[in-house]
Amino acid sequence: MNLLRKIYKARYGYFFLLPHFILFLIFFLIPVGSGVYLSLFDYNVFSKTFIGLENYKEIFNDWLFKKALVNTFIYTFGVVPLWLGKALLVTVLIYPFRKPIKTFFKTIFYLPHVTSSVIISLIWLWIFNPNFGLLNYFMKLMGLNPVIWLGNKLTAMPSLIAMQVIMGGGSTIVLLSAAMASIPEYYFEAAKIEGANSWKIFSKITVPLLKPTILYALVMGTIANFQTFSNIYVMTQGGPEFSTITVAYLVYTTAFRDYNLGLASAMSMVMFVILVGLGIVQFKWLGSNVQY
Amino acid sequence: MRTGLKVLFVTLLLVGAMVFPAKITITWWINPWRIAPPGHPADKALTGEEYPKWISEEFMKLHPDVEVKYVLVTNQEYAQKLAAAIATKTQPDFFKGPVWDSRWAKSGLLEPIDDYLSQEDWNDFYDQCLKAGYINGKHYVWPWVYGTNGMGSTMLLYTPDFEKAGIDWRKIVNEGWTMEEFVEICKKLTWDSDGDGQVDHYALALGAKGDMVHNVLNFIYAFGGRLTNEDESEVILNSPEAVKGLQFVLDLIEKYGVAPKGAEALDIYGVISYFHTHKASIGFGGPYEIGRITRYVKEGRLAEAFYPVIAPFPHVEGKDPVAYARGSGFIVFKQNDPKKREMIFEFLKFMTNQQNIALLETLQYLTARKSVNQMLYKNDPYMNEQVKKYSQIMDRYGVEFFGSEEFPWSQMNSHFVAALEAVFAKTKTPQKALDDFVTEANKILKKTK
């Protein structure tokens, strides 16, 4: 009764929340619920048989899924720190400039963000081309042997990570710049008067005060990179020898090449649980000192 | 009075329904086939939309009681769109696309076509085309096209390079070439164009991905390797013959140096690019790939057109060459309304009648009808000759590489690509790579049985 009264009291608040909640329900909760449900079936579009946890058993016994999972972790933890570090560095470097110059740089770094990831992948495919590619052209100019960047097990994943780090971070730079602009100027002035050097100012003032934004960028970046698909699809199709296969790509091939939607749903659920877990860890670990 | 009005109203409705019966709506999907309908300007590039629009409108003119709706679906999104449509029971009435799963027929989702084919059709369609959809004693694919883009079927020779190297290309086209002759000719076609001491022109380029699988499999089959045993109960692609075939392909790069390194990273478009830019003298494919050259020129992707000739793949001394042969066509989903079913098959007959099926000529594809293929390219002696050659090679040496309709090759393909990548990158020997592939393929086979 008490609860109902509370809800009634806050009815206007709930009313305004309702549109968002309905969209969240339709586009997130129901699909996730359906995914959990389908993962318990041998479902191949034309027939559906309940098999309990068999799909989960199968994927944990499948070396390809384990490889995809390891690759996904390597990719995510390869990209996210470098990309976040790059965004932070660029933000700090452009901060002292006048507004038009800052805007110019922010625009430049944001451009890849509004370009189709497929187009970006196609351009990089050309850059990495073993015979006509730009990268090997420079390698030859420097007297080095050309490298088959995407055809070698050892270089394929680092190439994809490098591409993502170079092209990514635009939106984070914009976010961090906005957050940095909200740090009172007198903090920096006081630190300078006290004799703090640039590194001290960066590590003791800038980074701690940017922590909420960094945390947000870290969580969102981890989620986005964990689900990476288009660059794998366009550039390597998981090869060579499955060295760049990721869970998202495996989910795609399992669902739409093999028509095994039950198994693909189980893979998606594992990915979902891992991402929730990573999100919780990141909030616990980095969120303890954050002042919002 | 009021009752009289009601009776009049109902009578009018009934009469209206009889005079103006509801239209039958047929929905079909197709991936982009750049076929030029009659009257299409020769210099205007095609998008793939022209043919389905034209053929639908022509059929509606003949059958005003039918409304035909076509949907153009790209190759990349075809599989997921169709899966989603089947799952939500919104699939088209029939489709032509790059996807096919024999489980659809086994699950009763498809209409068999047997009762709708006339005796003339049975005689006129190629067996390979009819076989394409043969499951449990019924046919499920209405034949339209014979062969594919020619990957794994034939080779393309850039004759100026052959002449420059003093090679009689006509002999190859007419009599074929043994593996030993092929290697010697390839050596002659490999040179340093700019004189910097580095080879920059090769006989051919090889790759591991996409349709390049067909071309590599051709060599494996030519050496006597086979994907499965007779009853398809076991994958046997690691036989000594298969290993020998794959070793030969690897030797073209590593031992003879007639193909560039980096094949593990090249897909079919990378290989085609070598041929189009004259960095390789031998390409892969059939008439469709010749058409690609003129299409690329029209689209501004290639500066100048050239006219290669079609030749068979090389063969082992004493054995025949091999050509990948397969037909494809339209697949009809189960229909509850018999009238609509009749009209769908009427539409398929219309699309594949002698006159309309011949439009495939504009795409440089062979049709599924023997009678029509004899009539193609009457006004173009060069293409007429190439198509004749292609057709002859397919007829004589055509085989299916990927097993019957029920064989789950699509699930094995990525493991075979991984095997080729390992061989070209030299991380595995051909024997080890094929052994590993066979282990994975047999696991998949066991699971699907």
Side-chain angles (χ1 to χ4, degrees):
Chain A
M1 203 61 199
N2 204 16
L3 180 73
L4 282 176
R5 195 173 295 153
K6 271 186 184 170
I7 292 173
Y8 182 75
K9 266 189 169 179
R11 62 190 180 281
Y12 292 114
Y14 287 117
F15 177 74
F16 283 110
L17 275 178
L18 199 60
H20 175 78
F21 180 74
I22 290 170
L23 291 175
F24 183 70
L25 182 78
I26 295 171
F27 293 108
F28 184 77
L29 289 182
I30 293 175
V32 168
S34 304
V36 175
Y37 174 74
L38 285 180
S39 72
L40 304 174
F41 287 83
D42 178 11
Y43 177 47
N44 57 17
V45 184
F46 2 92
S47 66
K48 201 156 86 174
T49 317
F50 182 77
I51 52 167
L53 296 174
E54 281 304 311
N55 282 328
Y56 291 94
K57 265 189 210 165
E58 188 176 336
I59 56 175
F60 286 116
N61 286 324
D62 180 9
W63 67 269
L64 194 56
F65 180 75
K66 286 179 199 161
K67 190 169 182 65
L69 206 53
V70 170
N71 285 345
T72 308
F73 272 104
I74 291 172
Y75 181 82
T76 306
F77 292 119
V79 168
V80 174
L82 291 172
W83 152 87
L84 201 54
K86 172 197 143 185
L88 199 56
L89 184 70
V90 171
T91 306
V92 172
L93 287 177
I94 64 172
Y95 181 69
F97 291 130
R98 283 185 294 123
K99 204 183 167 198
I101 300 172
K102 263 198 273 191
T103 309
F104 170 76
F105 279 113
K106 278 193 275 183
T107 311
I108 293 290
F109 280 105
Y110 197 75
L111 266 181
H113 200 70
V114 292
T115 310
S116 153
S117 58
V118 173
I119 302 289
I120 289 174
S121 300
L122 287 172
I123 292 169
W124 277 86
L125 210 49
W126 176 75
I127 292 172
F128 287 132
N129 186 295
N131 300 297
F132 316 116
L134 195 66
L135 207 52
N136 275 351
Y137 172 77
F138 288 121
M139 296 281 286
K140 278 182 203 164
L141 277 188
M142 290 188 291
L144 299 168
N145 284 329
V147 176
I148 303 163
W149 301 100
L150 299 176
N152 187 314
K153 273 202 293 189
L154 297 175
T155 53
M157 185 58 95
S159 302
L160 292 177
I161 291 172
M163 178 197 109
Q164 193 59 30
V165 171
I166 292 168
M167 301 311 288
S171 57
T172 311
I173 290 169
V174 173
L175 278 175
L176 288 173
S177 296
M180 211 163 157
S182 67
I183 301 173
E185 196 60 35
Y186 52 79
Y187 282 14
F188 297 112
E189 285 165 7
K192 274 180 197 161
I193 291 167
E194 292 294 330
N197 60 22
S198 301
W199 172 247
K200 281 272 182 213
I201 292 172
F202 175 72
S203 58
K204 300 290 179 189
I205 297 174
T206 311
V207 172
L209 290 174
L210 287 180
K211 233 177 165 184
T213 314
I214 292 173
L215 176 64
Y216 170 78
L218 185 69
V219 173
M220 297 311 283
T222 304
I223 292 171
N225 284 293
F226 210 85
Q227 299 179 76
T228 193
F229 171 76
S230 58
N231 50 350
I232 307 290
Y233 179 72
V234 175
M235 297 174 75
T236 62
Q237 294 96 49
E241 297 173 66
F242 301 113
S243 62
T244 61
I245 196 162
T246 57
V247 176
Y249 186 77
L250 191 61
V251 167
Y252 171 80
T253 54
T254 308
F256 300 117
R257 187 199 62 202
D258 305 345
Y259 290 106
N260 200 337
L261 277 85
L263 195 64
S265 299
M267 290 176 183
S268 304
M269 285 309 120
V270 172
M271 190 156 80
F272 176 73
V273 169
I274 290 171
L275 279 172
V276 170
L278 280 176
I280 291 170
V281 169
Q282 285 170 340
F283 268 103
K284 284 272 175 208
W285 182 43
L286 288 168
S288 55
N289 241 350
V290 169
Q291 290 175 13
Y292 292 96
Chain B
M1 184 67 183
R2 200 177 268 180
T3 313
L5 275 175
K6 276 181 188 169
V7 170
L8 184 68
F9 181 68
V10 171
T11 312
L12 279 174
L13 274 180
L14 282 171
V15 171
M18 282 158 71
V19 176
F20 307 108
K23 276 192 170 186
I24 294 170
T25 305
I26 297 172
T27 308
W28 65 296
W29 289 8
I30 187 164
N31 52 330
W33 283 70
R34 292 177 178 83
I35 299 166
H40 184 84
D43 58 341
K44 198 176 166 196
L46 291 148
T47 62
E49 182 102 24
E50 298 82 357
Y51 173 73
K53 186 172 185 290
W54 176 83
I55 198 84
S56 301
E57 285 170 358
E58 289 300 304
F59 187 71
M60 284 191 284
K61 278 182 204 164
L62 291 174
H63 300 273
D65 55 331
V66 178
E67 188 181 4
V68 180
K69 291 179 179 170
Y70 70 90
V71 180
L72 197 68
V73 184
T74 63
N75 290 323
Q76 290 78 13
E77 61 184 358
Y78 216 108
Q80 64 260 44
K81 275 204 167 179
L82 197 61
I86 295 171
T88 53
K89 297 188 170 40
T90 54
Q91 65 267 35
D93 293 313
F94 74 94
F95 74 98
K96 165 80 188 89
V99 288
W100 158 249
D101 194 313
S102 60
R103 287 176 293 180
W104 296 336
K106 287 182 203 159
S107 309
L109 276 176
L110 306 180
E111 289 284 354
I113 62 164
D114 304 62
D115 295 343
Y116 295 90
L117 290 169
S118 66
Q119 194 51 52
E120 191 200 339
D121 290 332
W122 285 109
N123 297 337
D124 201 19
F125 285 132
Y126 289 96
D127 284 345
Q128 293 282 9
C129 296
L130 288 164
K131 250 198 246 172
Y134 186 67
I135 291 157
N136 295 339
K138 295 267 182 195
H139 296 83
Y140 290 93
V141 175
W142 187 279
W144 187 41
V145 173
Y146 182 39
T148 53
N149 50 9
M151 292 297 160
S153 309
T154 51
M155 284 180 156
L156 298 173
L157 314 182
Y158 180 55
T159 53
D161 280 353
F162 280 71
E163 281 159 13
K164 187 177 158 188
I167 303 159
D168 181 3
W169 57 266
R170 284 183 186 81
K171 189 170 176 279
I172 299 168
V173 169
N174 295 323
E175 297 169 26
W177 38 359
T178 64
M179 293 292 172
E180 290 74 21
E181 286 166 343
F182 177 70
V183 169
E184 290 312 310
I185 287 167
C186 284
K187 282 179 189 169
K188 287 183 188 169
L189 291 167
T190 304
W191 58 67
D192 167 18
S193 307
D194 57 11
D196 67 352
Q198 304 266 321
V199 169
D200 52 17
H201 180 280
Y202 296 90
L204 75 168
L206 295 160
K209 298 177 201 294
D211 284 359
M212 272 311 294
V213 164
H214 298 59
N215 297 320
V216 175
L217 273 174
N218 185 298
F219 285 99
I220 291 177
Y221 268 69
F223 273 89
R226 290 292 176 268
L227 180 62
T228 65
N229 58 1
E230 277 295 311
D231 60 0
E232 293 188 345
S233 60
E234 195 186 351
V235 178
I236 54 163
L237 203 64
N238 56 346
S239 65
E241 295 84 4
V243 173
K244 209 171 164 188
L246 190 52
Q247 182 65 54
F248 179 83
V249 174
L250 180 64
D251 285 348
L252 292 174
I253 302 169
E254 297 296 334
K255 190 173 167 187
Y256 307 118
V258 297
K261 288 180 190 289
E264 60 273 31
L266 280 183
D267 64 3
I268 194 68
Y269 296 104
V271 172
I272 288 171
S273 167
Y274 265 94
F275 186 59
H276 281 187
T277 53
H278 304 314
K279 286 181 188 296
S281 307
I282 302 169
F284 297 101
Y288 178 79
E289 289 303 323
I290 297 177
R292 188 194 293 277
I293 296 166
T294 40
R295 178 156 63 87
Y296 276 19
V297 172
K298 268 189 205 170
E299 291 170 3
R301 294 160 75 177
L302 193 63
E304 209 179 334
F306 61 100
Y307 303 94
V309 294
I310 286 177
F313 269 74
H315 60 269
V316 171
E317 182 83 59
K319 285 185 181 176
D320 278 340
V322 172
Y324 171 62
R326 185 186 171 81
S328 68
F330 301 98
I331 295 158
V332 182
F333 279 107
K334 206 84 185 163
Q335 300 295 321
N336 294 323
D337 179 355
K339 210 171 163 194
K340 186 172 174 178
R341 190 189 307 128
E342 289 296 321
M343 287 321 291
I344 289 168
F345 281 104
E346 199 57 39
F347 188 28
L348 293 182
K349 284 177 193 170
F350 178 69
M351 277 204 275
T352 56
N353 67 25
Q354 289 195 325
Q355 193 186 342
N356 289 331
I357 204 171
L359 290 172
L360 281 166
E361 179 187 270
T362 64
L363 191 66
Q364 276 87 18
Y365 256 85
L366 285 192
T367 80
R369 287 191 185 278
K370 294 171 206 161
S371 60
V372 175
N373 289 343
Q374 288 166 10
M375 313 293 288
L376 299 179
Y377 305 101
K378 282 281 179 211
N379 303 321
D380 183 345
Y382 160 70
M383 271 314 288
N384 186 275
E385 202 175 314
Q386 303 318 311
V387 168
K388 260 190 199 156
K389 190 79 225 171
Y390 180 67
S391 178
Q392 192 189 67
I393 293 169
M394 296 268 282
D395 278 353
R396 281 191 197 161
Y397 312 120
V399 287
E400 169 59 80
F401 288 169
F402 305 110
S404 70
E405 288 305 323
E406 316 200 16
F407 191 75
W409 170 258
S410 65
Q411 295 176 47
M412 297 173 183
N413 184 57
S414 61
H415 293 280
F416 187 65
V417 169
L420 294 187
E421 287 168 341
V423 169
F424 291 143
K426 291 189 289 179
T427 57
K428 288 179 188 172
T429 62
Q431 180 74 62
K432 171 80 177 125
L434 289 179
D435 284 346
D436 289 351
F437 164 71
V438 164
T439 306
E440 289 304 319
N442 277 323
K443 266 192 227 165
I444 292 167
L445 191 59
K446 201 174 154 194
K447 211 165 73 180
T448 52
K449 285 274 175 191

